[in-house]
Amino acid sequence: DTEVTQTPKHLVMGMTNKKSLKCEQHMGHRAMYWYKQKAKKPPELMFVYSYEKLSINESVPSRFSPECPNSSLLNLHLHALQPEDSALYLCASSQDLYGYTFGSGTRLTVV
Amino acid sequence: ILNVEQSPQSLHVQEGDSTNFTCSFPSSNFYALHWYRWETAKSPEALFVMTLNGDEKKKGRISATLNTKEGYSYLYIKGSQPEDSATYLCASAGGYQKVTFGTGTKLQVIP
């Protein structure tokens, strides 16, 4: 299995909702990442997990809460989001810095 | 250069034309340069990872070069085909688990 699977593909949520994004890989990659991409902007790094431990948090607001239950799974818990948080959320995994494997993303709309 | 910059932002070429794009990146603290091909509604697909100054990589009709001293990489497509239409992203790995993306070059190949 050489894929990163993200669910759901699309999500619409209200500002008071709690929802979660899921990401799964079975390539044995040791690092997993969350990126956020707004239209016509580059993907921006949010979080990095290395060996299931949070190693980088790029000053992301606490309404985004990452979780890595095991080496294959990465979640992003969402609570009290704002409309400006609407974006494409990409998950990726890597064995090292020699390239990522990306999921196809979750398109999030906050209403 | 402080960020990763790509040019042009978008490009329309006729089928059969050859084309090239540029990625500029900070030359200090450089580790690796990635190129990805990203079709709409799909996952970004890794094309090349380059690390050494003067590296040249080739995959079919697509090739890339790297100059780490001056901080740029070129991606070339020979004899463009409609299926080459996509956004081409470059990313610079400049530190531990830190990969910075450019905004991409959107290529449209007209049949």
Side-chain angles (χ1 to χ4, degrees), chain A residues 97-111:
Chain A
L97 284 175
Y98 290 100
Y100 288 179
T101 301
F102 280 94
S104 55
T106 295
R107 177 73 62 188
L108 174 68
T109 304
V110 182
V111 296

Side-chain angles (χ1 to χ4, degrees), chain A residues 37 42 50 55 58 97 100, chain B residues 34 36 38 97-99 102-103:
Chain A
Q37 194 202 22
S50 180
S55 58
E58 290 286 278
L97 284 175
Y100 288 179
Chain B
H34 308 176
Y36 295 89
W38 195 2
Q97 293 180 328
K98 288 257 191 172
V99 174
T103 50

